[in-house]
Each structure stands twice: as C-alpha cells, then as structure tokens.
Amino acid sequence: MQFWQMILEVIARIWYVFALTLVPLILYYIFNKKIFKFNKRIDKRPTTIGVCGMHRGAGVTSLCLAVSNFLANKQFSSVAYLEVNSTNEIHNLNTRNKTNHFKYLGIDFYSAVTLDDLSSLLQEKYDYFVLDFGVTNQYTNLEFMHCDLKLAICDLSSWHKSDLISFTHNYLSNMRENIIFLGNPDKINQNSSTYEYNRVIKAKILRIPFFENPFQLTSQYFGFLKKITERN
C-alpha cells in the first residue's frame, strides 16, 4: 500500500513540475503566437490624431472627447488629450487641482497647450495623442497637417460654405486626400447640398453621429470611431 502511495506522490510531483513549465509556454503562445486574436498594436510609434473645425462651435471638443474615451476605455490604449487652442474648455473637467495636466476616466488631459509645449509633450509615451485644434490658424495649421490622422469638421449650411472653401483652397489644397471630412448630422442628409460640397472639396464627407454624452459611449458609435481612428 505504501509503495503505491509513493508512486502516486512521485507522479503528482512530476505533473506539478510539468505544469509549472507548461503554463508559461501556453501563455506565451496565446499572447505572442496569436492562438487567440487580441487587438494588439504592432506599430509602437504613437499615433497623432488632429481634429479641427471650420468655425467655432463645430463640435471639435465633443468629437475629441468621444475619440479619446473610445481609445482609452474601449481599445484599452494610453491616450493624451492635447487642447491646442485657447478656449480652455476641458479645464472644467479638472475638479481636483488647478494645473493644466490632469487625469479623467483613464485619459491624460493637457489644457491650454502652446506650440512650444506641443513638441515636448509629443515625446511622452502614449499610444495616441488626440489634438484638439479648435479652429486652426496660420500657426496651428502646420501642426494639424503633420498629424497622422486629420479630421476636419464642416457644417453644410449655406452660410458656412465660404468657411469650407477657404479651408480647402487656402490651407490644404495639396493634402485633401489625406483628410477625413466630417459633416453635420442634420445637414448631411440634404443630398443636393452634400453632392455640391463633395464636388468643391473633392472628397467624401462622412456623417458624424450625435454624441449625447461623449463619456458614455454605446456600441452604436464604435464602428464610426474605429473607422476614423485606424491608420492605413
């Protein structure tokens, strides 16, 4: 009887040692050999996403917040939100201290970022930088064009047509094919107007969904947000 107990103890110890060796190997193959498909970033270089509007109140901040929330809390990426304009709107989210850098819902926010600050901040280790340019000007336009992904929000109302034409002709005439144009959800359904604007800018205008709360995203927004944040 004691003999068989000894045999069983030896077998159990062998299996214990075997398991200690096997488990790390299994984990290695799961995470590195893609036994299961994980949303894993292969390109380690951070992605810069620049967002601007043709006029004040176009919805740039709302879209930037939605994009940042999606990347940080749905894609599980490290995200820095850079407010590269003078509105200081996101500072209202900072209820704990009076500094320009604060964390909210897993996103690092930097408010009132100057062009001098921008170059150093872009050296920080994040997966994504979301740059809120507000309305671009002669100083921030170049930084917008340097972004990996460029999102430009336009209003298809007739009274804002001149803003769109000025934006495309005066600043970005040579880079229109690299910009994702996003349109007002109410106006983009006017097919004749949309066709006219598509002809003017020579690019397709995508419809922006209405974000009731950019910090409370549901699955209906995921497809749109994934589409505009993917690098080719």
Side-chain angles (χ1 to χ4, degrees), residues 2 8 16 21 29 55 61 105 115 120 151 173 214 219-220 222:
Q2 291 181 348
L8 291 174
Y16 177 74
T21 306
Y29 275 96
H55 58 87
T61 299
L105 294 182
L115 293 181
S120 59
L151 311 178
S173 57
S219 58
Q220 64 178 318
F222 295 170

Side-chain angles (χ1 to χ4, degrees), residues 12-145:
R13 289 179 181 179
I14 292 174
W15 274 106
Y16 177 74
V17 173
F18 181 70
L20 288 178
T21 306
L22 185 62
V23 168
L25 289 174
I26 292 175
L27 292 176
Y28 172 81
Y29 275 96
I30 288 176
F31 288 99
N32 292 281
K33 297 300 182 181
K34 296 182 180 178
I35 290 179
F36 298 109
K37 299 284 185 180
F38 286 93
N39 222 356
K40 188 177 176 182
R41 278 176 59 86
I42 298 175
D43 183 4
K44 297 299 181 182
R45 185 172 69 83
T47 298
T48 55
I49 303 175
V51 186
C52 74
M54 308 292 168
H55 58 87
R56 292 290 298 270
V60 173
T61 299
S62 178
L63 179 61
C64 286
L65 291 174
V67 167
S68 299
N69 183 22
F70 173 74
L71 293 173
N73 298 305
K74 302 302 178 183
Q75 300 287 72
F76 307 107
S77 301
S78 58
V79 179
Y81 184 118
L82 310 183
E83 185 183 46
V84 195
N85 63 73
S86 59
T87 60
N88 208 24
E89 290 180 346
I90 64 167
H91 198 65
N92 295 326
L93 298 174
N94 186 9
T95 58
R96 295 185 178 181
N97 55 65
K98 298 299 182 180
T99 64
N100 288 345
H101 174 215
F102 60 96
K103 200 174 189 71
Y104 184 76
L105 294 182
I107 305 164
D108 279 322
F109 286 90
Y110 296 84
S111 62
V113 174
T114 65
L115 293 181
D116 291 335
D117 299 331
L118 186 59
S119 57
S120 59
L121 285 174
L122 291 176
Q123 301 303 315
E124 299 290 333
K125 293 185 178 180
Y126 291 98
D127 295 324
Y128 291 91
F129 292 95
V130 178
L131 284 71
D132 178 350
F133 286 103
V135 179
T136 56
N137 53 45
Q138 58 181 330
Y139 304 107
T140 58
N141 181 62
L142 184 61
E143 297 299 333
F144 173 73
M145 292 194 295

